[in-house]
Amino acid sequence: MAQRQLTDLAVRAIRAKAEYFEVVDGTSGLRLAVFPSGAKSWIARYRRPDSGKTAKLTIGRYPTMPLSTARIRVAEARDAVNKGVDPGQDKQRKKFEDRQAETDRAADTVAKHAQAFLDWQAKRLRPAGWQQQHHVIRDFALPAWGSKSVHDIRKRDVIELVEGIAEDRPYMANRAFGVIRRFYRWLRERDVVTFSPADGVKKPSVERARDRALSPPEIKRLWHALDTVGGPACAAIKLLLLTGQRRGEVAAMTGSEVDGDTWLLPAARTKNGKPHAVPLSRQALAVIEQQPRIHGCDFVFTSGSKPVANFAGVKQEIDAIMKPEAAWRVHDLRRTCASGMQRLGTRSEVIERALNHRAGLYRSVAGIYQVDPLTQEVRDALAAWGREVERIVKGESGKVVKFR
């Protein structure tokens, strides 16, 4: 075993022999192990504090670890021995902890934490809000990131995901970005991650308030297209037009919510968390009564055991027959209903009550003190709108009756 004060040049010059040998670095306690293959490693030999037996500590490979760093490491090991700590066992413990940390990190998959996030949100959000979060995670986040660790998602990943959605669904991209940002904020609050990859990312699309409402000729063509295509989704769309309620509320309507000529929406099913009584016009009641009832299922618009949901596919069939004047969305029927009631002379506060819309007149102070439900006014307004839709669909002429 050779012994000398090593230098970087000397270490590079040492050549392998037929047998393994070690070169001692002066009095530092560091040794260079040279293998017949030519590989070199830094080691140290010491006596275990508990038994006094000689043990070998591998410090690192050369040239990955240079001489200067190896001397620092062997000095740290010598200090540990002097304090009664076995550096070999300490190294194994740290390696185990590192492996365990890596295992834990790998187990922190997006799929695992996304499910926990949705379970947590299910206790806090109304069904409509939870459904959107579930949709974003199931259809966008999990296919792209499901098996990845939440620690490995970077800002670039978020940008690529939401920009990909924005190519043909710009508003959906904004919703997806909001859910991802909330998901990572939740992870950070629970100390799962230390940073959010959504931080500093801008919303992918600029949203503008829509003002699309179907014209009377479009309403007529829409109704005839709905009759042609048929099915529970088309019936639900008719009720959307006649009542102005939200798609999710109409789609999940149950028979037990209908009490005579009134639809009683529970707070758990409304966007604003307020119970809502919707007067049903003669035309709306006719749509509901025409739906076949399925034994054991309380949903009004269904073809099985679940509420109707295939609006996108049905709308393509409807558009092919209807030939709209411009692109429209199912949600535009809510605005069409509101615009129609306004055209008939309905006061704004009555329209807002009819649509269960807590904005405009009923926002802030006005919403606190103006608590009159305007029940009869809402009933009259929706009844007049039902008659107007019927008149448009049948193509009847005549003066529109206005009321206040």
Side-chain angles (χ1 to χ4, degrees), residues 349 352-353 358-372:
E349 62 268 30
E352 291 198 7
R353 287 296 192 201
R358 301 293 177 176
L361 208 62
Y362 287 104
R363 178 172 285 173
S364 187
V365 176
I368 295 173
Y369 294 106
Q370 296 182 15
V371 294
D372 184 354

Side-chain angles (χ1 to χ4, degrees), residues 67-236:
L67 173 60
S68 58
T69 302
R71 282 175 173 159
I72 294 171
R73 296 289 181 268
V74 78
E76 292 172 348
R78 187 169 58 243
D79 289 344
V81 172
N82 292 337
K83 294 175 182 177
V85 177
D86 187 329
Q89 292 180 353
D90 191 51
K91 179 182 177 182
Q92 291 302 316
R93 177 183 59 78
K94 289 179 179 178
K95 286 177 67 176
F96 172 79
E97 290 175 352
D98 289 345
R99 284 196 299 268
Q100 187 62 45
E102 187 61 33
T103 299
D104 293 344
R105 180 185 176 89
D108 277 339
T109 62
V110 172
K112 169 189 169 183
H113 287 290
Q115 186 57 57
F117 171 71
L118 288 174
D119 291 344
W120 177 74
Q121 290 288 60
K123 301 173 184 177
R124 301 175 61 255
L125 299 178
R126 291 185 292 276
W130 184 87
Q131 285 290 349
Q132 184 175 85
Q133 293 195 347
H134 180 260
H135 166 53
V136 167
I137 288 175
R138 179 195 63 194
D139 296 336
F140 301 119
L142 292 185
W145 304 339
S147 61
K148 293 183 178 180
S149 169
V150 292
H151 307 280
D152 294 336
I153 305 301
R154 295 291 180 261
K155 183 176 179 179
R156 181 72 253 169
D157 298 315
V158 176
I159 293 171
E160 289 178 353
L161 180 67
V162 297
E163 285 185 350
I165 301 170
E167 288 180 1
D168 57 353
R169 286 167 290 181
Y171 288 4
M172 186 67 243
N174 287 348
R175 304 292 94 75
F177 173 63
V179 173
I180 292 167
R181 183 170 53 188
R182 182 68 190 92
F183 172 51
Y184 264 92
R185 187 164 68 244
W186 178 80
L187 289 173
R188 194 161 53 185
E189 289 168 353
R190 280 151 184 74
D191 201 31
V192 177
V193 299
T194 57
F195 75 96
S196 169
D199 287 349
V201 178
K202 295 181 179 179
K203 287 174 63 174
S205 305
V206 176
E207 296 193 24
R208 297 177 177 83
R210 290 180 61 81
D211 57 2
R212 177 77 164 100
L214 272 63
S215 66
E218 286 181 307
I219 291 174
K220 181 175 182 178
R221 295 200 303 272
L222 169 64
W223 197 276
H224 290 310
L226 293 170
D227 284 339
T228 302
V229 176
C234 288

Side-chain angles (χ1 to χ4, degrees), residues 277-313:
V278 184
L280 296 169
S281 63
R282 174 175 54 82
Q283 295 77 12
L285 275 171
V287 171
I288 294 170
E289 291 168 356
Q290 289 168 5
Q291 301 313 299
R293 301 307 301 271
I294 298 177
H295 179 71
C297 178
D298 197 26
F299 293 116
V300 173
F301 304 106
T302 181
S303 57
S305 59
K306 296 180 179 180
V308 66
N310 62 328
F311 288 99

Side-chain angles (χ1 to χ4, degrees), residues 306-322:
K306 296 180 179 180
V308 66
N310 62 328
F311 288 99
V314 168
K315 184 176 175 299
Q316 290 181 351
E317 297 182 56
I318 294 168
D319 285 347
I321 299 170
M322 173 189 170

